Amino acid sequence: MIETCVFPVAGLGTRFLPATKAVPKEMLPVVDKPLVQYGVEEAVAAGMSKVCFINGRHKQAIENHFDRNVELENAIAGSGKEPLLEGVNRLMAECAINSIRQLQAKGLGHAIGCSRAVVGDKPFGVILPDDLCVNLDGPSVLAQMVALHERFGCSVVAIEEVPRDQVCKYGVIAGDEEEPGVFRVSNMVEKPAVEDAPSNLAIIGRYILTADIFDLIDATEPGKGGEIQITDALMKQAAEGRVIGYRFQGQRFDCGSMDGYVKATNFCYQNLYDR
Ligand code: G1P
């Protein structure tokens, strides 16, 4: 069983300004819930009971969302609106929320490395909440990945085929397809130019990582953009055949882009809500 899910949420969300000037991008609503709540729901649905936000200053709204708001509770008591808070209250009861400050914006690998004190020496999940994943017909994407980790005992990254001209936005893998949708990763490159991309299989924001990744992150030099990249640390596991790339069942929306955000909103409104 994987206990902890790490949420790197310290980023400034500059792609979505001015909406994210005072509101963390993870708090933007998709229909009636903030993005980060979908992520925490997915982690809990995958059996995880500890959430670890890697957060930055000025983004306390994320922690506040998973805390009580007594003034609000008092204000709506007896009004019939209490059920609107039931979902998030249930989540708060189902998992322990931890928060660590990432003191410097040194990249995704560095952010994940900051979770070591909470994660310890067991495998753990990572969700980048601006990638919203929905699977209407079965287990959540992270739950599918936990099942694969149990079979293979190594790190698992979620992958998706993207148009060739989009590979420069992602970590890109190459590997042997051992069974449909399951790749033994042999190469990973962070945000390659089209001509350098080893395939069009892009990593999206879901990972299961084995705990040796922490030492590998510590030994990783800054890479693309001068940042410590999780892709580079994972490449060291991949060189030993210890990373699985998984083409998941379900849909993923890049809610860090306007197009993905609008599509996610329409999809969730049509499929997840009784109207
Ligand atoms: C990060 C990772 C990248 C991955 C992407 C998925 O990039 O560095 O490998 O493909 O998340 O969303 P970011 O989007 O934070 O620049």
Side-chain angles (χ1 to χ4, degrees):
M1 204 54 157
I2 296 185
E3 194 182 23
T4 308
C5 192
V6 173
F7 289 76
V9 292
L12 292 176
T14 48
R15 278 198 289 168
F16 234 125
L17 284 169
T20 49
K21 187 178 170 204
V23 176
K25 65 173 172 172
E26 297 80 4
M27 291 302 296
L28 295 179
V30 170
V31 192
D32 63 349
K33 282 188 295 196
L35 267 172
V36 67
Q37 187 174 332
Y38 288 88
V40 173
E41 285 172 358
E42 186 180 338
V44 168
M48 300 182 193
S49 56
K50 239 160 94 178
V51 161
C52 179
F53 292 123
I54 307 299
N55 206 351
R57 55 195 90 89
H58 312 307
K59 295 184 75 176
Q60 295 95 328
I62 297 174
E63 282 94 13
N64 291 347
H65 185 69
F66 295 97
D67 196 350
R68 291 187 59 193
N69 181 338
V70 177
E71 197 179 353
L72 176 69
E73 287 168 23
N74 289 342
I76 65 171
S79 71
K81 289 184 181 151
E82 297 92 327
L84 297 175
L85 289 178
E86 271 170 11
V88 68
N89 284 342
R90 200 167 43 243
L91 269 189
M92 282 154 51
E94 283 171 342
C95 60
I97 307 281
N98 301 264
S99 195
I100 290 179
R101 285 279 175 95
Q102 185 185 12
L103 301 182
Q104 286 170 284
K106 293 208 292 193
L108 180 58
H110 176 259
I112 293 172
C114 292
S115 71
R116 188 175 203 157
V118 170
V119 169
D121 57 6
K122 301 204 193 74
F124 60 103
V126 177
I127 288 184
L128 310 185
D130 47 3
D131 272 339
L132 175 60
C133 291
V134 186
N135 183 25
L136 294 176
D137 308 316
S140 71
V141 173
L142 204 63
Q144 296 167 41
M145 295 169 71
V146 168
L148 265 189
H149 167 77
E150 281 166 2
R151 277 181 58 207
F152 289 92
C154 64
S155 293
V156 182
V157 298
I159 53 171
E160 183 174 82
E161 277 183 53
V162 297
R164 200 94 206 161
D165 63 353
Q166 301 281 305
V167 287
C168 59
K169 295 186 186 163
Y170 300 94
V172 178
I173 68 135
D176 289 333
E177 191 165 9
E178 293 194 345
E179 51 191 84
V182 178
F183 294 74
R184 182 75 63 175
V185 177
S186 55
N187 194 11
M188 314 178 83
V189 188
E190 180 67 11
K191 304 197 174 87
V194 184
E195 56 276 18
D196 300 330
S199 75
N200 67 338
L201 296 171
I203 302 171
I204 63 108
R206 299 291 180 278
Y207 304 77
I208 304 286
L209 301 174
T210 52
D212 61 306
I213 199 72
F214 291 120
D215 284 342
L216 297 173
I217 291 170
D218 288 346
T220 297
E221 297 293 326
K224 194 88 190 177
E227 296 189 331
I228 296 173
Q229 300 292 350
I230 192 63
T231 307
D232 296 341
L234 270 167
M235 182 55 213
K236 299 174 196 172
Q237 292 185 344
E240 297 172 355
R242 297 194 290 117
V243 179
I244 293 291
Y246 173 54
R247 200 164 52 211
F248 57 92
Q249 306 289 317
Q251 261 162 296
R252 165 253 174 187
F253 301 94
D254 172 15
C255 291
S257 76
M258 232 175 272
D259 186 60
Y261 180 75
V262 171
K263 283 191 177 132
T265 302
N266 286 325
F267 182 90
C268 290
Y269 185 59
Q270 268 157 22
N271 292 287
L272 303 181
Y273 289 83
D274 291 331
R275 284 173 291 139

